[in-house]
C-alpha cells in the first residue's frame, strides 16, 4: 500500500468483546432505500435449445430472498440489531413476497405500496450452482408515496441509534438530502451505500461505503495508492464526510478518515463462492458496530469478518454474530 496507510492486526479479543457488546446493546437501526426481490430459479441442463444455441433449464426449484435495502435490514437482524425498514414496493406478487419475507425476519415493516410501481425483481437462473442469466424488472416509485416514507422516517428517527441509506439507484431515495439533514439534527450517524456519479447527495454522512467500481464511476480511475488517497481525501473534504470505507474485493477494505488517517484491512483468507450481497453485509456490520458505540476501526474489522463468511455462501446471504464468533475461535480470521 503506501507509507501513510496503517495495517492494524485483527484484534481478536477486541472483536469478541465487541460481539458481546452488540449482543447486549441490541442497537436500533433504521434502513431506508431501494428494496427488491432476489428470485432464484434452479434446474438441470441436459440439452441445447433447437431454437437458439442456448441451454434449456428444466426448473425444479424456486427460491425468493430479500434484496437491496431489505437485504441490509436482514443482515442487521442477523447481527442482533433491532431494525426498521422504510421503502416502497409495487402492488404485485413480488411486492407481497417482499412484505412477507420482511415480516418473517422480524423487521419493523415500514414498506409502503405504490399502485403504479413495479417491484424490482432480480431473477437469476442457475444450474449446478452456476448462474446462467439474470433478468431485471423495475420501475421507479411515485413521488407521493416517497413523501409518505419521509414522514414515517421522521417518526422512526425517535427510536434510532443509526441510519443506513441503501441506494441502488432505483428511485427510492428521492429525499435523501432531507433524510440526512433530519438525522444530523438529532446527532444520529448516517451510513450510506452510494450509487451513480453524483456523490453530492450524500453530503455530511458519517460513513460512505462505495466499492471499487462505484468509486471509479464517480471519481475516475487511479493508478497508485497515492492517487487513490488524493481522490478519497478530496471527496471527504468536499462532502464533509466522517469517513470513507472503500471495499476492494480480494484486496480487502480501506478506511479513509476525516482526520487524514488511513488504515487498510486485508480480506480474510478463504474461498470465495459468491459475492452477491457482500456490500450489504459490510454496511450492516459497520452500522451495528457504530450503533453499539464501537470505534470505526473495530467496525471495519467486524465487517471484514462478516463479509468473509458471506462470500463463502451461495446467493445473497447473511452472517450471524455466532458465526463470526465461531470463525474467530477456529482461527478462520487469520
Amino acid at each position: 500500500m503506501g507509507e501513510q496507510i496503517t495495517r492494524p492486526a485483527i484484534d481478536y479479543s477486541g472483536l469478541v468483546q465487541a460481539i458481546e457488546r452488540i449482543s447486549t446493546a441490541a442497537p436500533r437501526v433504521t434502513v431506508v432505500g431501494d428494496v427488491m426481490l432476489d428470485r432464484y430459479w434452479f434446474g438441470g441442463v441436459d440439452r441445447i435449445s433447437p431454437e437458439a444455441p442456448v441451454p434449456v433449464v428444466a426448473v425444479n426449484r424456486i427460491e425468493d430472498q430479500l434484496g437491496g435495502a431489505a437485504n441490509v435490514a436482514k443482515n442487521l437482524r442477523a447481527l442482533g440489531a433491532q431494525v426498521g425498514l422504510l421503502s416502497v414496493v409495487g402492488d404485485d406478487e413480488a411486492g407481497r413476497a417482499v412484505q412477507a419475507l420482511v415480516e418473517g425476519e422480524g423487521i419493523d415493516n415500514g414498506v409502503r405500496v405504490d399502485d403504479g410501481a413495479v417491484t424490482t425483481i432480480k431473477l437469476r437462473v442457475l444450474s449446478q450452482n452456476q448462474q446462467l442469466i439474470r433478468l431485471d424488472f423495475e420501475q421507479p416509485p411515485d413521488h407521493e408515496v416517497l413523501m409518505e416514507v419521509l414522514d414515517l422516517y421522521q417518526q422512526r428517527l425517535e427510536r434510532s441509534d443509526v441510519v443506513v441509506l441503501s441506494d441502488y439507484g432505483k428511485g427510492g431515495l428521492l429525499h435523501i438530502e432531507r433524510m440526512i439533514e433530519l438525522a444530523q439534527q438529532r446527532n444520529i450517524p448516517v451510513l450510506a451505500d452510494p450509487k451513480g456519479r453524483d456523490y453530492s447527495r450524500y453530503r455530511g454522512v458519517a460513513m460512505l461505503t462505495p466499492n471499487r467500481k462505484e468509486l471509479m464511476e464517480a471519481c475516475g480511475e487511479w493508478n497508485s495508492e497515492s492517487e487513490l488517497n488524493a481522490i478519497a481525501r478530496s471527496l471527504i473534504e468536499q462532502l464533509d464526510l466522517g469517513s470513507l470505507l472503500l471495499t476492494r474485493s480480494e484486496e480487502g477494505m480501506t478506511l479513509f478518515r476525516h482526520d487524514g488517517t488511513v488504515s487498510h484491512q486485508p480480506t480474510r483468507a478463504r474461498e470465495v463462492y459468491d459475492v452477491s450481497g457482500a456490500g450489504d453485509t459490510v454496511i450492516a456490520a459497520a452500522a451495528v458496530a457504530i450503533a453499539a458505540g464501537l470505534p470505526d476501526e473495530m467496525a471495519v474489522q467486524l465487517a471484514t469478518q462478516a463479509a468473509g463468511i458471506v462470500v463463502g455462501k451461495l446467493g445473497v446471504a447473511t452472517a450471524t454474530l455466532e458465526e463470526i464468533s465461531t470463525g474467530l475461535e477456529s482461527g478462520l480470521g487469520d
Side-chain angles (χ1 to χ4, degrees):
M1 307 297 288
E3 291 184 358
Q4 301 178 21
I5 300 179
T6 61
R7 304 176 185 83
I10 295 176
D11 181 359
Y12 292 104
S13 62
L15 277 170
V16 171
Q17 295 175 9
I19 290 170
E20 293 176 352
R21 182 167 176 174
I22 292 168
S23 298
T24 302
R28 304 169 300 175
V29 184
T30 293
V31 180
V32 192
D34 301 305
V35 301
M36 57 193 71
L37 184 67
D38 281 316
R39 177 162 283 170
Y40 297 84
W41 288 359
F42 297 91
V45 174
D46 57 13
R47 63 191 178 100
I48 300 299
S49 171
E51 303 167 355
V54 294
V56 175
V57 180
V59 176
N60 53 39
R61 180 164 63 93
I62 297 175
E63 182 176 319
D64 288 344
Q65 297 182 13
L66 292 171
N71 186 49
V72 175
K74 181 179 177 180
N75 271 269
L76 282 160
R77 283 293 295 148
L79 292 167
Q82 304 175 62
V83 188
L85 175 64
L86 305 178
S87 190
V88 178
V89 294
D91 184 13
D92 48 29
E93 179 272 333
R96 289 184 285 276
V98 167
Q99 298 270 21
L101 289 168
V102 166
E103 293 174 2
E105 293 292 337
I107 298 167
D108 185 359
N109 188 4
V111 178
R112 292 297 177 260
V113 176
D114 178 1
D115 294 341
V118 174
T119 303
T120 298
I121 304 174
K122 290 184 178 179
L123 171 60
R124 300 170 175 91
V125 181
L126 299 94
S127 180
Q128 297 182 335
N129 291 332
Q130 295 295 317
Q131 186 176 149
L132 302 180
I133 191 171
R134 194 182 90 182
L135 302 145
D136 290 5
F137 308 84
E138 60 189 56
Q139 181 176 312
D142 182 81
H143 176 72
E144 291 186 7
V145 178
L146 292 175
M147 283 300 297
E148 182 181 346
V149 170
L150 181 60
D151 291 339
L152 290 171
Y153 173 79
Q154 295 186 66
Q155 299 171 26
R156 177 77 197 184
L157 281 178
E158 301 301 325
R159 54 185 191 278
S160 300
D161 299 312
V162 163
V163 169
V164 174
L165 302 176
S166 181
D167 194 350
Y168 273 78
K170 309 301 183 185
L173 285 170
L174 183 64
H175 306 294
I176 187 171
E177 292 93 342
R178 179 58 176 159
M179 290 179 173
I180 295 171
E181 179 185 2
L182 289 168
Q184 289 176 327
Q185 291 173 0
R186 294 165 174 79
N187 295 315
I188 299 172
V190 178
L191 286 73
D193 191 3
K195 284 292 182 292
R197 298 180 181 275
D198 181 12
Y199 278 11
S200 64
R201 59 198 263 117
Y202 310 110
R203 183 180 305 279
V205 302
M207 181 181 284
L208 195 67
T209 64
N211 61 33
R212 183 166 47 195
K213 180 181 178 181
E214 290 164 346
L215 188 62
M216 284 184 175
E217 181 181 355
C219 301
E221 297 187 8
W222 56 86
N223 297 309
S224 66
E225 291 300 319
S226 61
E227 288 184 9
L228 171 58
N229 290 351
I231 288 172
R233 180 61 40 219
S234 175
L235 199 61
I236 289 171
E237 292 177 355
Q238 289 176 17
L239 302 184
D240 192 27
L241 306 176
S243 63
L244 186 149
L245 177 60
L246 177 64
T247 56
R248 308 173 67 174
S249 190
E250 73 281 355
E251 294 179 8
M253 305 179 197
T254 305
L255 179 67
F256 303 87
R257 300 183 184 86
H258 193 275
D259 64 7
T261 59
V262 183
S263 61
H264 181 76
Q265 189 67 56
T267 189
R268 293 180 56 186
R270 66 177 294 165
E271 183 178 357
V272 174
Y273 192 63
D274 192 335
V275 298
S276 301
D280 296 338
T281 301
V282 168
I283 197 170
V288 79
I290 291 172
L294 297 167
D296 58 7
E297 190 69 63
M298 188 58 65
V300 174
Q301 291 200 11
L302 184 70
T304 301
Q305 299 298 309
I309 292 170
V310 164
V311 299
K313 300 178 179 181
L314 175 64
V316 178
T318 61
T320 66
L321 292 177
E322 183 179 0
E323 286 176 317
I324 296 173
S325 295
T326 301
L328 293 172
E329 292 170 1
S330 63
L332 290 177
D334 293 336

